[in-house]
């Protein structure tokens, strides 16, 4: 009886070992998801690092080859570290540019406004005009208007008048000055009353006339 029990224990220890070695097979168990993904990636996607460069459309370029990526108009060179692209200092676009093209590496102005705007009116480049009798203006190639305002000289009379389309006042009756409240012409002596003879200052027309008293005719008559 003791012998049979001993043999039974031996079978219990031996049989699980046989079952385990026979039943476990790695082909029956799927690999980890991480291992699957890594395997699939190597099969589907080629790794061009250090071998070439790929543009946005999937086209492969060799090391040292020059190409234009889809997201840039500037040329790039394929290197082991990836594409190295030119980044030039592009000229500034004129603020009044009306048409800009981006076909090249730098944006380019194709059309600039060819007129000047001044007080609601348009003028051609290099056109000269007078917005007022005292202003002389010119439309510059920069689309800016430059103006010069006339500096009028001091009139030689006390009663100047403004003529239409003329900037500065004119003395229609020639130079003159005031003798009291009377306007007398310059260059001659004028007897303003029975006792006073006056004349204008030479060149200083705005100053009152110089007058000298003479013996009054009324007293002589008496």
């Amino acid at each position: 009886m003791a012998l049979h029990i001993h043999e039974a224990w031996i079978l219990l220890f031996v049989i699980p070992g046989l079952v385990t070695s026979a039943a476990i097979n790695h082909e029956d168990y799927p690999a980890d998801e991480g291992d699957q993904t890594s395997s699939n990636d190597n099969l589907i996607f080629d790794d061009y690092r250090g071998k070439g460069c790929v543009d946005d459309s999937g086209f492969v370029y060799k090391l040292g080859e020059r190409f234009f990526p889809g997201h840039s108009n500037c040329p790039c060179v394929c290197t082991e570290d990836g594409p190295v692209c030119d980044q030039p200092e592009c000229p500034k676009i004129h603020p009044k540019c009306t048409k800009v093209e981006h076909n090249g590496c730098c944006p380019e102005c194709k059309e600039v406004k060819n007129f000047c705007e001044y007080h609601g009116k348009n003028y051609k480049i290099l056109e000269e005009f007078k917005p007022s009798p005292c202003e002389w203006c010119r439309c510059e190639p920069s689309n800016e208007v430059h103006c010069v305002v006339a500096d009028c000289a001091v009139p030689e009379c006390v009663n100047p008048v403004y003529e239409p389309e003329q900037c500065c006042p004119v003395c229609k009756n020639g130079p003159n000055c005031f003798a009291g409240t009377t306007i007398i012409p310059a260059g001659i002596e004028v007897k303003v009353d029975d006792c006073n003879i006056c004349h204008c200052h030479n060149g200083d027309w705005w100053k009152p006339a110089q007058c000298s008293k003479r013996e009054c005719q009324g007293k002589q008559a008496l």
Side-chain angles (χ1 to χ4, degrees), residues 55-73:
D55 64 8
D56 294 351
S57 62
F59 193 86
V60 181
Y61 296 88
K62 299 177 182 179
L63 293 178
E65 192 171 359
R66 200 172 178 85
F67 67 101
F68 292 84
H71 64 279
S72 173
N73 289 321

Side-chain angles (χ1 to χ4, degrees), residues 87 123 154 170 175 193 207:
Q87 293 182 348
Y123 300 92
V154 177
V170 295
D193 54 32
K207 293 182 178 180

Side-chain angles (χ1 to χ4, degrees), residues 42-65:
N42 291 334
L43 292 176
I44 298 175
F45 302 102
D46 292 329
D47 187 1
Y48 294 102
R49 287 175 295 181
K51 303 176 184 178
C53 302
V54 184
D55 64 8
D56 294 351
S57 62
F59 193 86
V60 181
Y61 296 88
K62 299 177 182 179
L63 293 178
E65 192 171 359

